[in-house]
Amino acid sequence: MADQIAKAVASGTYFVSGCLAVVASQIIGGPIYLMNEDWYNAWIAFTKQSFGLLTTTLTQWWAPTVIRISGDTSVRGQLLKTVDGGLYCNFPERLVLMANHQIYTDWLYLWWIAYTNGMHGRIYIILKESLKSIPVIGWGIQLSQFIFMKRNWEKDKPHLAAHLQKLNNPADPMWLLIFPEGTNLAPDTRQRSALWAETQGITDMHHLLLPRSTGLQFCLQQLHRTVPYIYDCTIAYEGVKHGQYAQDIFTIQQAYLKGQPPKSVNMYWRRFATSAIPFNDAKAFEHWLRSRWHEKDMLINGYLRTGRFPADDGIDKLPDGRIRHGAGYIETEVKAFKWYEFLQIFAPIGLFALILYTFYDSLPNMTLPSIDTDAMGKKLQLLQKQLSTAVQNNHIAGTNKKAVTGAVNKTFLPAKNRASKKVTNQNALLKSGTAQRPLLIEAPVQANKTAPTNSQPHKKTTATVRQPAKPKKLEVQLQPKVVPKVPVQAKSAAKAQITPPMKKLATKPQAPPAKKRPVKQSPKSVGPGSSTASSSSTVSSNGSSAASSVSDRGPPKLEIKPKAKVFPKKIAVKPKVGQVPKKLATK
């Protein structure tokens, strides 16, 4: 009893959560219809694949059963057995599929057949309208573009015509599943079928209901140009004796909640060309369909006696030289090709939740309030203490401390607490004055090893911080360092700016040009308080020509020397401490 309860809870939870995931995926893809209808149809096909995988895995895990497949010569070469013992159907991408209706889960096993053909996302089922009222499942089958019938032909005809017009594109894969009986076999439906046969003067069935031809005929009239074949499947369930009804034995509760599914599901397949069906003549088509149903009734009668449908074991040779074998009996189980395919059911919802988490932070706002924030706060304090200890011991750089602290806060604190903590930190900085503290940058001036004079002390270049309108941005303005220039004319030298007084400089002698007398130049520096400087140069008697030659060559290059040096034929005067050299000998 406990095992059955656990199995019922597990299977019910999986099915309901899967249905919710599929319906939510269909709703999420709704806006795609506004962009492109073909993209929307492809998205709906993807969600129908997910629902097909849901029913397949649900049957595989909680209601495992054997599927026994066979067919006649018309489907030879289209029913194949895989290497691992599975089933592969090689049916065309566009067909009309009709089948007898035994139990409520007939469509589930036929959907699995579409899965083995890769068409579980392109299947369309004609259902009765009352199924729309089922919660969750009814919403999903409506969004899956299934066709609902009210069993009132005057109202159903325009609705069915509109749907078939959308399905009449030969380039679109499509399996249209229809149950001509209209409902499943039961005691009350069996009596109504017998009464109708007596009224119409026709032979009644023993194991089936009389088919209704109007809907199927209209479908073939609309789709015969794009659908070359109609496939027929006869279904029978092991364990149902003559006179019993499968729907009373293999209910949904019995199969999926109690774990008592049919021992085997038997299918017999046939194919008919639409060009050979008299769908334009109502009486002829009704006779044709009723004949096919009498054949199905005989097949089920033979199954009840032998336990199996007929099988095709023949061989024929195709015109291109290939050999085609009959399928015989293919016994397999309802199962997925790969164990991980069920993840497709929840993939769209998982992706959508990831997007919400990334861009809108919706999941943390919903889940974090339910977590014990006190325990998380204690863990956060402990981590912060360990972090500060590591920083003090120089295990973590200061810049990494901020990154790690931010990551810890983001992990353990809800969004509201993080926001309030950020505001508190900013207010604390403003009150303490840290954000308004001026920035001081020391820029030492390059100088010789000789110490500066007392009258001209060494100065520091400072950077002042201006208080901007926004406290987060700081503008730093540095006083520019003026590079001294060698003046050529007195007028330009008076306007030049100089840096704080430099230490003793010794000029490197320049090689004199050929047949020209050397030019003497003696710069004069002004005290630190003045903003202009004047200098004069002493030249020879041919001073005007020498000055012009110097100006043509540009200012002489200066190089800092640690000590004064004696030049040939000229003696550099070493000034006393506190004085500025009057003349610098150059060569």
Side-chain angles (χ1 to χ4, degrees), residues 148-217:
F148 297 94
M149 306 291 286
K150 299 179 180 180
R151 295 182 179 177
N152 186 340
W153 183 240
E154 297 298 329
K155 297 180 180 179
D156 291 337
K157 184 177 180 179
H159 179 68
L160 181 59
H163 277 276
L164 295 178
Q165 185 178 2
K166 295 180 180 179
L167 300 178
N168 209 9
N169 186 358
D172 294 336
M174 182 272 300
W175 277 25
L176 180 62
L177 174 59
I178 183 173
F179 296 98
E181 294 170 318
T183 185
N184 57 314
L185 182 64
D188 55 341
T189 58
R190 179 91 277 289
Q191 292 178 3
R192 290 199 298 266
S193 177
L195 182 60
W196 174 258
E198 183 180 356
T199 303
Q200 298 296 321
I202 57 178
T203 304
D204 190 19
M205 308 291 173
H206 297 284
H207 310 287
L208 301 173
L209 300 177
L210 286 172
R212 301 181 181 185
S213 60
T214 306
L216 181 58
Q217 179 187 1

Side-chain angles (χ1 to χ4, degrees), residues 291-355:
S291 299
R292 303 290 81 77
W293 240 248
H294 279 292
E295 295 171 358
K296 293 165 71 72
D297 194 59
M298 294 176 62
L299 288 170
I300 294 178
N301 188 53
Y303 170 80
L304 293 175
R305 288 187 288 103
T306 62
R308 295 205 173 193
F309 284 125
D312 175 32
D313 295 322
I315 299 175
D316 59 357
K317 189 174 182 181
L318 299 177
D320 57 359
R322 293 182 300 169
I323 297 177
R324 187 172 59 178
H325 296 269
Y329 291 103
I330 299 177
E331 292 188 4
T332 183
E333 294 180 355
V334 177
K335 61 181 180 180
F337 293 133
K338 303 294 182 181
W339 68 267
Y340 51 80
E341 289 187 69
F342 78 98
L343 297 176
Q344 175 182 327
I345 304 169
F346 306 96
I349 297 301
L351 180 61
F352 184 71
L354 181 61
I355 293 174

Side-chain angles (χ1 to χ4, degrees), residues 520 564-574 583-586:
K520 297 181 181 180
K565 188 176 181 180
V566 180
F567 300 95
K569 298 183 181 181
K570 296 290 181 179
I571 300 176
V573 180
K574 183 176 182 181
K583 294 183 179 180
L584 296 177
T586 60

Side-chain angles (χ1 to χ4, degrees), residues 94-369:
R94 291 186 61 83
L95 58 85
V96 174
L97 173 59
M98 64 179 184
N100 59 306
H101 207 351
Q102 294 283 309
I103 60 178
Y104 288 109
T105 55
D106 288 332
W107 59 270
L108 186 149
Y109 299 112
L110 293 173
W111 205 325
W112 177 76
I113 293 294
Y115 167 75
T116 62
N117 203 104
M119 293 295 297
H120 53 304
R122 297 290 182 172
I123 188 171
Y124 300 86
I125 307 176
I126 298 179
L127 303 170
K128 56 184 179 181
E129 193 178 25
S130 59
L131 297 177
K132 294 170 61 175
S133 59
I134 301 177
V136 183
I137 299 177
W139 309 336
I141 57 180
Q142 291 182 65
L143 293 174
S144 298
Q145 301 174 344
F146 290 167
I147 304 172
F148 297 94
M149 306 291 286
K150 299 179 180 180
R151 295 182 179 177
N152 186 340
W153 183 240
E154 297 298 329
K155 297 180 180 179
D156 291 337
K157 184 177 180 179
H159 179 68
L160 181 59
H163 277 276
L164 295 178
Q165 185 178 2
K166 295 180 180 179
L167 300 178
N168 209 9
N169 186 358
D172 294 336
M174 182 272 300
W175 277 25
L176 180 62
L177 174 59
I178 183 173
F179 296 98
E181 294 170 318
T183 185
N184 57 314
L185 182 64
D188 55 341
T189 58
R190 179 91 277 289
Q191 292 178 3
R192 290 199 298 266
S193 177
L195 182 60
W196 174 258
E198 183 180 356
T199 303
Q200 298 296 321
I202 57 178
T203 304
D204 190 19
M205 308 291 173
H206 297 284
H207 310 287
L208 301 173
L209 300 177
L210 286 172
R212 301 181 181 185
S213 60
T214 306
L216 181 58
Q217 179 187 1
F218 186 77
C219 291
L220 294 179
Q221 288 175 348
Q222 300 294 320
L223 301 174
H224 71 279
R225 293 184 180 88
T226 60
V227 176
Y229 294 100
I230 179 172
Y231 280 70
D232 172 61
C233 179
T234 304
I235 305 177
Y237 295 92
E238 183 179 352
V240 180
K241 298 180 180 180
H242 184 74
Q244 293 181 340
Y245 299 94
Q247 72 146 20
D248 298 333
I249 300 174
F250 303 116
T251 61
I252 296 177
Q253 179 181 1
Q254 194 77 13
Y256 292 94
L257 300 182
K258 295 183 178 180
Q260 297 176 2
K263 294 182 180 179
S264 66
V265 179
N266 298 265
M267 296 183 180
Y268 185 76
W269 290 88
R270 297 182 296 173
R271 183 180 70 168
F272 305 96
T274 55
S275 58
I277 299 174
F279 52 81
N280 289 323
D281 189 343
K283 290 185 178 181
F285 181 78
E286 183 179 2
H287 178 73
W288 178 88
L289 181 60
R290 194 162 57 245
S291 299
R292 303 290 81 77
W293 240 248
H294 279 292
E295 295 171 358
K296 293 165 71 72
D297 194 59
M298 294 176 62
L299 288 170
I300 294 178
N301 188 53
Y303 170 80
L304 293 175
R305 288 187 288 103
T306 62
R308 295 205 173 193
F309 284 125
D312 175 32
D313 295 322
I315 299 175
D316 59 357
K317 189 174 182 181
L318 299 177
D320 57 359
R322 293 182 300 169
I323 297 177
R324 187 172 59 178
H325 296 269
Y329 291 103
I330 299 177
E331 292 188 4
T332 183
E333 294 180 355
V334 177
K335 61 181 180 180
F337 293 133
K338 303 294 182 181
W339 68 267
Y340 51 80
E341 289 187 69
F342 78 98
L343 297 176
Q344 175 182 327
I345 304 169
F346 306 96
I349 297 301
L351 180 61
F352 184 71
L354 181 61
I355 293 174
L356 290 180
Y357 176 78
T358 304
F359 293 99
Y360 299 101
D361 200 21
S362 295
L363 288 181
N365 291 337
M366 293 186 295
T367 56
L368 286 179

Side-chain angles (χ1 to χ4, degrees), residues 56-68:
T56 299
T57 52
L58 181 71
T59 305
Q60 178 182 357
W61 296 336
W62 284 283
T65 185
V66 176
I67 300 290
R68 187 176 295 112

